[in-house]
Amino acid sequence: GFLGSNKKYLTMVSLILAVLIGLAMATQWSILGSLGRERGSLQIAWFSGLTTLSVLGLLVVANRVFSGTDYRAFNSIVRYEWLIIITLVGSIGLVTVANNLPWWSFCSGLFGLALIVGAAYLVPRIGVAEFFVAVTLGSAIGGVILDHIGAFGNPTTLFSPLRILGLLAIMLGVLLVRIGNFWQE
């Protein structure tokens, strides 16, 4: 019936989103590696974390303002007023530490945010195992491509038959986890 096929469709879309999140994660790691070489790993990790914190705070505040969402449940985690203060302080800190960083450096925190929000949204729909293997597949594909082109000034490692075989092995892992879930449904 429609419901069964609709569930399969939603599962497939969820898996594709998880693979895309994995691609974003590989890009984030490439950016962090490049910037970490130049500016220090802890400083760049701090910058990336501030970007994630600031953008997440802005999204939550904007969601409340524009959607009128009731935040009583959220207030059990942190009061809304504190969220605004934390977001403002994080944003000011972000602007302060962004000292001459390239525009694409901000993407590292955005990609980290994609992983956090993606996990919170997708894991209840497809489970931890499927989310993990799909993100791993996307990360591996992205990593091989980014290594091949030496993205963001990182060392170049060209495609090779063994790297492609490794990607195929990860794809097989995704398929095996999915088949395992399919048999249980």
mmCIF file of all heavy atoms in Angstrom, residues 30-31 100 116 174 177 182:
data_model
loop_
_atom_site.group_PDB
_atom_site.id
_atom_site.type_symbol
_atom_site.label_atom_id
_atom_site.label_comp_id
_atom_site.label_asym_id
_atom_site.label_seq_id
_atom_site.Cartn_x
_atom_site.Cartn_y
_atom_site.Cartn_z
ATOM 1 N N SER A 30 38.393 18.632 6.206
ATOM 2 C CA SER A 30 39.406 19.172 5.302
ATOM 3 C C SER A 30 39.678 20.645 5.629
ATOM 4 O O SER A 30 40.831 21.081 5.673
ATOM 5 C CB SER A 30 38.944 19.010 3.850
ATOM 6 O OG SER A 30 39.951 19.398 2.965
ATOM 7 N N ILE A 31 38.613 21.398 5.876
ATOM 8 C CA ILE A 31 38.759 22.806 6.252
ATOM 9 C C ILE A 31 39.510 22.920 7.577
ATOM 10 O O ILE A 31 40.450 23.709 7.710
ATOM 11 C CB ILE A 31 37.373 23.491 6.354
ATOM 12 C CG1 ILE A 31 36.756 23.649 4.968
ATOM 13 C CG2 ILE A 31 37.482 24.844 7.065
ATOM 14 C CD1 ILE A 31 35.297 24.087 4.994
ATOM 15 N N ASN A 100 40.964 37.589 9.959
ATOM 16 C CA ASN A 100 41.538 37.317 8.643
ATOM 17 C C ASN A 100 41.404 35.876 8.162
ATOM 18 O O ASN A 100 42.230 35.413 7.380
ATOM 19 C CB ASN A 100 43.016 37.731 8.598
ATOM 20 C CG ASN A 100 43.180 39.212 8.826
ATOM 21 O OD1 ASN A 100 42.368 40.009 8.367
ATOM 22 N ND2 ASN A 100 44.224 39.578 9.541
ATOM 23 N N ILE A 116 24.866 17.661 13.845
ATOM 24 C CA ILE A 116 24.104 17.670 15.098
ATOM 25 C C ILE A 116 22.603 17.666 14.823
ATOM 26 O O ILE A 116 21.856 16.851 15.366
ATOM 27 C CB ILE A 116 24.502 18.895 15.956
ATOM 28 C CG1 ILE A 116 25.962 18.789 16.388
ATOM 29 C CG2 ILE A 116 23.586 19.030 17.167
ATOM 30 C CD1 ILE A 116 26.528 20.087 16.936
ATOM 31 N N VAL A 174 26.658 -0.412 4.258
ATOM 32 C CA VAL A 174 25.375 0.305 4.297
ATOM 33 C C VAL A 174 24.255 -0.629 3.847
ATOM 34 O O VAL A 174 23.193 -0.712 4.483
ATOM 35 C CB VAL A 174 25.420 1.570 3.403
ATOM 36 C CG1 VAL A 174 24.039 2.207 3.272
ATOM 37 C CG2 VAL A 174 26.416 2.577 3.955
ATOM 38 N N VAL A 177 23.478 -3.299 6.561
ATOM 39 C CA VAL A 177 22.719 -2.742 7.684
ATOM 40 C C VAL A 177 21.273 -2.495 7.261
ATOM 41 O O VAL A 177 20.328 -2.804 7.992
ATOM 42 C CB VAL A 177 23.382 -1.453 8.225
ATOM 43 C CG1 VAL A 177 22.466 -0.736 9.207
ATOM 44 C CG2 VAL A 177 24.711 -1.780 8.878
ATOM 45 N N PHE A 182 15.499 -4.162 7.084
ATOM 46 C CA PHE A 182 14.362 -4.533 6.221
ATOM 47 C C PHE A 182 13.758 -5.851 6.683
ATOM 48 O O PHE A 182 12.538 -5.997 6.724
ATOM 49 C CB PHE A 182 14.839 -4.627 4.765
ATOM 50 C CG PHE A 182 13.749 -4.974 3.794
ATOM 51 C CD1 PHE A 182 12.772 -4.057 3.471
ATOM 52 C CD2 PHE A 182 13.705 -6.235 3.226
ATOM 53 C CE1 PHE A 182 11.762 -4.371 2.583
ATOM 54 C CE2 PHE A 182 12.694 -6.570 2.343
ATOM 55 C CZ PHE A 182 11.725 -5.639 2.014
#
